[in-house]
Amino acid sequence: MNTTIKSTHSIEIKELLKFADRRFKSERGRFLFQEGMVAEELYVIVSGKIQISKITSDGRELSLRICGENDICGELTLFTDSPKYLLSAKVLQEGEIAAIRKDVIESEIFHNSKLAFEFMKWMSDHFRKTQTKFRDLVLNGKRGALFSTLIRMTNSYGVPKDNGILIDLPLTNQELANFCGTSRESTNRILSELKRDNIISIKRGKITVLDLQYLKDEIGCENCSAIYCNIE
């Protein structure tokens, strides 16, 4: 059974979709938007997966979350003057996207108190998730950041197996490194150590965590709610 975790606070997605002025198919590897572009729309993910990331000052990519079905991206530009996208959104898995004009959703939030309330709760959840991710990156170092990322991925995409938890999301080592803010070489080395010690196994690009408790013990895991300890 897939253990994907969604927030208990869900925006009325069907309500939002009524205001979409266009829908389009997303292609793997393409960008919905990139950092610095003028922001005129936000996007509802009808299907597929979108990676939200930030390019660091030294040219590295830091992946912050993966958006899936019924998630929203581009929301950080709401209620700002001359808005530009602060992050980049890249298609990981092709699907369908609904685009809503920024001015339309702003007007609706002003006039629809229920939607405004749900949107505020949803934004609060994302801020808390982002804070815990940065805490792990800053306090736990490269090794701990990778361990934390693997734990979060088991909460988001974990499928229980007889020998452990399969992370049912194929990622290259570079993509995994981007979630940790580190290099592919460092990630390769740490993954090799974990494989050697039978903490994980890797088959066809997918990781199975064989000893989840080891990862938690190594970073002093506080056993946060899976609502916040995930990669979404």
Side-chain angles (χ1 to χ4, degrees):
M1 179 181 66
N2 194 302
T3 57
T4 299
I5 301 297
K6 291 292 183 183
S7 169
T8 54
H9 303 311
S10 60
I11 294 181
E12 298 293 333
I13 296 297
K14 291 182 180 179
E15 186 75 12
L16 279 179
L17 288 175
K18 291 193 301 186
F19 303 101
D21 64 335
R22 65 188 181 100
R23 291 193 181 205
F24 59 93
K25 296 294 184 181
S26 58
E27 298 179 17
R28 178 176 170 82
R30 301 290 295 272
F31 284 89
L32 291 184
F33 54 83
Q34 289 181 277
E35 183 178 348
M37 290 175 56
V38 174
E40 297 179 342
E41 298 174 316
L42 59 78
Y43 302 91
V44 177
I45 315 304
V46 180
S47 62
K49 289 182 172 58
I50 307 295
Q51 176 179 286
I52 306 299
S53 60
K54 174 79 175 179
I55 303 299
T56 64
S57 58
D58 59 357
R60 289 181 298 165
E61 182 178 3
L62 176 61
S63 299
L64 298 176
R65 63 187 174 106
I66 295 177
C67 298
E69 181 180 353
N70 290 339
D71 279 335
I72 301 170
C73 59
E75 75 285 350
L76 297 179
T77 62
L78 291 177
F79 302 106
T80 57
D81 295 325
S82 303
K84 293 184 178 180
Y85 291 113
L86 301 177
L87 306 169
S88 297
K90 183 178 181 180
V91 179
L92 277 184
Q93 183 183 96
E94 63 182 18
E96 183 180 5
I97 309 294
I100 307 173
R101 288 189 56 83
K102 175 179 173 292
D103 55 347
V104 171
I105 193 62
E106 287 175 343
S107 176
E108 185 60 23
I109 287 175
F110 269 124
H111 295 95
N112 185 332
S113 59
K114 181 179 179 182
L115 180 62
F117 181 61
E118 289 295 332
F119 207 98
M120 288 174 63
K121 291 194 293 183
W122 180 80
M123 289 288 288
S124 177
D125 270 358
H126 275 291
F127 288 147
R128 292 183 66 177
K129 291 177 184 178
T130 300
Q131 286 177 340
T132 60
K133 289 173 187 175
F134 280 127
R135 175 200 65 192
D136 292 345
L137 288 174
V138 171
L139 297 181
N140 294 326
K142 296 179 181 179
R143 187 178 181 86
L146 178 57
F147 290 3
S148 172
T149 299
L150 292 174
I151 293 169
R152 291 175 185 278
M153 286 185 170
T154 63
N155 286 333
S156 291
Y157 299 104
V159 179
K161 298 292 183 180
D162 291 339
N163 61 339
I165 302 175
L166 169 68
I167 298 175
D168 193 19
L169 180 69
L171 290 171
T172 66
N173 285 3
Q174 182 62 66
E175 289 170 334
L176 189 57
N178 290 345
F179 278 101
C180 309
T182 187
S183 67
R184 180 174 57 86
E185 291 76 16
S186 293
T187 299
N188 289 346
R189 184 178 65 255
I190 299 170
L191 289 175
S192 295
E193 293 173 0
L194 293 176
K195 287 171 61 179
R196 182 195 63 204
D197 296 337
N198 293 317
I199 306 301
I200 67 169
S201 65
I202 303 176
K203 186 176 182 179
R204 296 177 182 173
K206 293 184 179 181
I207 296 173
T208 298
V209 177
L210 308 176
D211 190 346
L212 181 61
Q213 192 58 49
Y214 172 86
L215 300 179
K216 291 184 175 183
D217 290 344
E218 286 293 297
I219 64 170
C221 179
E222 299 173 357
N223 290 312
C224 300
S225 169
I227 291 173
Y228 302 111
C229 183
N230 62 65
I231 211 69
E232 300 175 333

